[in-house]
């Protein structure tokens, strides 16, 4: 099972989600930004690296919130949601074509990638959003 880190960046009661660009796997789906752990890498190191590569921003990794396991046609993933503090928000998107800060109660109204849905539900439960 491939381990993948997902950034949970909160600001003003909203969470950051990004949309996969055309030509990418899961194009058109919204997701918590992140990516695959490299060999020997911790989830904390991975999420900081991925946010720099995918969004062009510096960040600090916090606690792991939850893990979502999902089997896609290309293989199974273990999606590890980790709190992050973004040091800036001047995004330069590389594998995404859009980003939005969305209210937690609206998370399930967008087309989230399947592995991200359990994480969205856990966030909503933790923060009392319905």
């Amino acid at each position: 099972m491939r381990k993948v880190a997902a950034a949970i960046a909160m600001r003003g009661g909203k969470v950051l989600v990004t949309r996969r660009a055309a030509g990418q796997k899961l194009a058109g789906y919204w997701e918590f930004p992140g990516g695959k752990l490299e060999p020997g890498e911790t989830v904390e190191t991975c999420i900081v690296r991925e946010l720099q590569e995918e969004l062009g921003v510096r960040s600090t990794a916090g606690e792991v919130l939850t893990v979502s396991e999902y089997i896609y046609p290309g293989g199974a993933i273990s999606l590890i949601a980790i709190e992050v503090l973004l040091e800036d928000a001047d995004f330069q998107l590389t594998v995404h074509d859009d980003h939005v800060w969305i209210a937690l109660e609206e998370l399930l109204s967008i087309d989230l990638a399947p592995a991200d849905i359990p994480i969205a539900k856990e966030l909503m439960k933790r923060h009392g959003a319905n």
Side-chain angles (χ1 to χ4, degrees), residues 3 7 27 31 33-34 36-37 44 47 51 77 80 94-95 101 107 113 121:
K3 290 185 177 183
E31 65 180 2
K36 296 182 278 296
L37 272 73
E44 294 85 1
I47 201 62
L51 290 174
I77 68 164
I80 305 161
T94 57
V95 298
W101 293 92
L107 271 173
K121 289 179 178 177

Side-chain angles (χ1 to χ4, degrees), residues 1-68:
M1 186 171 294
R2 175 176 283 150
K3 290 185 177 183
V4 180
I8 307 301
M10 302 285 297
R11 184 178 77 184
K14 296 183 177 187
V15 65
L16 177 68
V17 290
T18 50
R19 188 175 61 198
R20 302 287 291 184
Q24 297 289 326
K25 287 182 182 175
L26 301 174
Y29 279 102
W30 291 89
E31 65 180 2
F32 301 108
K36 296 182 278 296
L37 272 73
E38 300 290 342
E41 194 174 44
T42 66
V43 67
E44 294 85 1
T45 304
C46 173
I47 201 62
V48 169
R49 176 184 54 76
E50 285 286 348
L51 290 174
Q52 181 67 50
E53 290 175 4
E54 291 188 358
L55 302 180
V57 294
R58 290 172 296 132
S59 62
T60 303
E63 293 183 27
V64 171
L65 296 175
T66 189
V67 177
S68 169

